[in-house]
Amino acid sequence: HAFGLAVPTGIVSTTGIVCSLPLGILLALGRRSDMPVVKTFSILFIELWRGVPLRQVETIALPLSISGFALAAISGAAMLSANATEYAGNPFLLIKFSAIGLALLNVLLATRLPSWRHRHHGDGGNRPLRIIGAVSLACWLVAISSGRMLGYW
């Protein structure tokens, strides 16, 4: 039990990631289905989760994402220190670090915006947050992809 809860967490995370895309596609197709049972189930399932208040999701997701980032940063630093000279000339390392830095600046910017403080009011002022969310998604996809490419360069 040297890894503690890392193995079960990895299994649950991997299962959730692998299953969420096909489930989302099936539910989207189910909403457009001509079969009443499939259509009703899909609509009810989607609306159930859409009805969950963002504050409840945020209270769980924010600490999890912060601790996940901290764990990834620690393990990344340990892996980098194991082969630092080998990675020094790899262009994907610079791309990865730049994307992570931009993503963290993006978070800092998001928390300073007035729309961040009023995000739960539903007044339609979330356009800046949507743009910041898209930038965040792009940064993390670049960081993950370039991290994967480190081993192939």
Side-chain angles (χ1 to χ4, degrees), residues 30-87:
R31 285 179 64 172
R32 301 188 53 115
S33 175
D34 292 332
M35 295 184 286
V37 173
V38 173
K39 186 173 187 165
T40 304
F41 173 77
S42 297
I43 290 173
L44 287 174
F45 188 84
I46 291 169
E47 293 301 321
L48 169 79
W49 290 108
R50 286 180 70 187
V52 175
L54 183 59
R55 287 180 191 226
Q56 290 180 353
V57 174
E58 184 179 0
T59 57
I60 296 169
L62 192 58
L64 281 176
S65 57
I66 290 170
S67 60
F69 177 76
L71 181 63
I74 291 168
S75 63
M79 290 171 56
L80 179 62
S81 66
N83 290 327
T85 55
E86 183 179 322
Y87 291 131

Side-chain angles (χ1 to χ4, degrees), residues 107-136:
V107 168
L108 186 63
L109 173 67
T111 57
R112 301 291 187 263
L113 290 175
S115 43
W116 178 262
R117 290 185 292 277
H118 303 293
R119 66 191 178 277
H120 299 296
H121 296 300
D123 58 359
N126 288 337
R127 183 174 169 82
L129 292 180
R130 289 181 181 170
I131 293 169
I132 284 179
V135 170
S136 179

